[in-house]
């Protein structure tokens, strides 16, 4: 499988070997190749120091592009014939317990470099140009078992770099892995250390989790292991105690089910359809749509439970959390707006809307209408089949009315090729009924034949007028 690497990579390996240095493909690209997945990243590690790597890269790129923004961490990059590589000198790292930024020290062996990797499945390497697989921590066996385990003790690994705890739950969502018990125990014990990681890095991991093939599994672990309490506290807060009469659903489980159902409603990747999967805005809206419920829960007389205005409160909470996680303004605005609108449809079920109300629904949704369609449908998790069918039929009807109104309003925007003033000028007529009849005649021609052009429209107008005069 590694023989299929681009010819440029094999040549790079020979250049390092000729210069007396080791070079190995490492980490995610090795893992993905074993899994039969393609990888856009080509990360390498080497015994060469940065200045030696730079000289070899200059020879390899033949004067092409080289970048060294990571030089302080021993990393340089280059590109040849479209093949991009990043090469890092073997490292052993020590960490300040109050920071996740490593104090870089260069290492001497590939095995030592692999020991500082996050998980055993990422601690495999392929030596170049020999293509020898190096797997000192049994990552291949763990890959076969879909097991996440750290090369060193998990407590040491997560103490050194707390972001690895987020990466663990992200791999569950992306690859369907499971976390070894001792590793999970260490995450639960050290979860609070995630607070020393920058919001930007946490957001990056959360986004990758949400865009994975199994986001529900990752989110469940994020909650169970205590990480969510620090990075997304609105999620565990949904685990409301259900009253003894079961007058409301388990909001947490409901939310995860809505997320699953929203994902099922995405258009296939690469199809060009609306909400093409994976759709981050739709998935985040499904995750956050009920976060306002804990703050708005009220127990009414008779035991009823209400969550009045939870959509409005939830929209504000969503915007606040996404801002704290440094999401961009556009994504934040879209997700918060969907949370705010997600209950609007229920008014339609209670009493069918006027055309004006349907237009207002469409206008309020704006460019998010297709997302709102899917979020609203996904929000039906009732086990009462009759109720579910009623809601589905009602939303089918609403979507049909939206389409009908859209088509009608598109028709209403069509105008004949000549306006009233031009008609009066051509026929030498004053304002009156005849002008209106001429306008309608030209409009009918426009609807039937499409744009006529002014010259033909004038001919048709004169022919119609002459026939009208003779009758």
């Amino acid at each position: 499988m590694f023989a299929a690497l681009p010819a440029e990579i094999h040549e790079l390996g020979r250049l390092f070997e000729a210069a007396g240095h080791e070079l190995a493909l490492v980490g995610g690209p090795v893992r993905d190749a074993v899994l039969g997945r393609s990888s856009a990243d080509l990360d390498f590690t080497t015994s060469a120091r940065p200045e030696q790597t730079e000289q070899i890269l200059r020879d390899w790129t033949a004067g092409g592009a080289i970048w060294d923004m990571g030089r302080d961490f021993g990393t340089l990059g280059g590109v040849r014939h479209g093949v991009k590589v990043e090469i890092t000198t073997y490292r052993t790292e020590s960490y300040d317990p109050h920071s996740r930024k490593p104090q870089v020290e260069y290492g001497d062996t590939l095995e030592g470099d692999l020991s500082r990797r996050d998980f055993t499945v990422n601690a495999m390497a392929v030596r170049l140009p020999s293509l020898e697989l190096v797997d000192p921590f049994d990552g291949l066996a763990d890959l076969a078992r879909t097991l996440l385990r750290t090369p060193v003790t998990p407590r040491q690994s997560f103490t050194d770099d707390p972001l690895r705890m987020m990466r663990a739950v992200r791999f569950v969502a992306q690859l369907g892995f499971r976390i070894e018990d001792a590793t999970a125990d260490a995450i639960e014990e050290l979860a609070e250390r995630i607070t020393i990681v920058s919001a930007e890095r946490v957001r990056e991991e959360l986004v990758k989790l949400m865009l994975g093939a199994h986001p529900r599994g990752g989110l469940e672990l994020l909650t169970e292991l205590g990480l969510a309490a620090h990075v997304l506290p609105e999620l565990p807060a949904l685990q409301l105690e259900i009253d003894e009469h079961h007058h409301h659903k388990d909001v947490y489980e409901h939310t995860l089910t809505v997320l699953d159902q929203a994902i099922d409603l995405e258009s296939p990747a690469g199809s060009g359809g609306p909400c093409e999967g994976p759709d981050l805005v739709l998935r985040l809206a499904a995750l956050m749509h009920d976060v306002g419920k804990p703050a708005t829960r009220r127990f009414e007389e008779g035991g009823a439970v209400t969550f009045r205005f939870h959509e409005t409160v939830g929209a504000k909470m969503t915007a606040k959390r996404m801002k704290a996680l440094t999401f961009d303004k556009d994504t934040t605005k879209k997700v918060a707006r969907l949370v705010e609108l997600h209950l609007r449809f229920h008014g339609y079920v209670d009493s069918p809307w006027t055309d004006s109300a349907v237009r207002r629904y469409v206008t309020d949704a704006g460019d998010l209408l297709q997302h709102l369609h899917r979020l609203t449908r996904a929000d039906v998790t009732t086990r009462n089949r009759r109720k579910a069918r009623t809601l589905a039929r009602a939303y089918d009807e609403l979507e049909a009315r939206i389409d009908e109104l859209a088509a009608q309003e598109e028709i209403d925007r069509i105008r004949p090729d000549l306006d009233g003033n031009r008609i009066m000028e051509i026929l030498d007529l004053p304002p009156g009924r005849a002008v209106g009849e001429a306008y309608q005649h030209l409009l009918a021609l426009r609807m039937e034949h499409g744009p006529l052009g002014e010259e033909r429209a004038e001919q048709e107008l004169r022919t119609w007028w002459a026939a009208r005069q003779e009758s």
Side-chain angles (χ1 to χ4, degrees), residues 213-235:
H214 316 280
R216 178 173 186 152
L219 291 167
E220 287 174 336
L221 278 175
L222 197 73
T223 300
E224 291 169 15
L225 299 180
L227 289 169
H230 303 288
V231 301
L232 192 64
E234 293 80 5
L235 182 59

Side-chain angles (χ1 to χ4, degrees), residues 275-297:
C275 304
E276 183 179 318
D279 190 299
L280 181 63
V281 168
L282 178 62
R283 293 184 181 199
L284 286 174
L287 178 64
M288 303 297 286
H289 79 283
D290 272 349
V291 295
K293 279 192 170 180
T296 59
R297 183 171 63 159

Side-chain angles (χ1 to χ4, degrees), residues 375-407:
L375 178 60
T376 301
R377 288 186 181 278
D379 195 23
V380 178
T381 61
T382 178
R383 295 180 181 178
N384 185 320
R385 294 184 179 180
R386 180 179 297 177
K387 183 178 179 181
R389 285 195 297 268
T390 298
L391 290 168
R393 281 196 300 269
Y395 207 82
D396 287 344
E397 179 186 321
L398 175 58
E399 284 201 62
R401 287 187 62 191
I402 289 172
D403 290 343
E404 289 169 4
L405 284 172

Side-chain angles (χ1 to χ4, degrees), residues 261-274:
Q261 294 183 167
I263 291 171
D264 288 342
L265 293 173
E266 292 174 340
S267 298
S271 67

Side-chain angles (χ1 to χ4, degrees), residues 138-183:
D138 293 326
L140 203 58
D142 287 343
L143 202 55
R145 295 183 293 170
T146 63
L147 185 68
L148 282 179
R149 188 170 57 87
T150 56
V152 296
T153 65
R155 199 176 196 289
Q156 177 186 336
S157 181
F158 300 142
T159 298
D160 286 348
D161 186 356
L163 189 63
R164 291 170 177 167
M165 298 187 289
M166 286 290 295
R167 287 171 61 81
V169 295
R170 188 249 290 184
F171 280 128
V172 170
Q174 274 189 327
L175 302 173
F177 282 19
R178 58 192 176 87
I179 301 175
E180 178 213 30
D181 288 346
T183 302

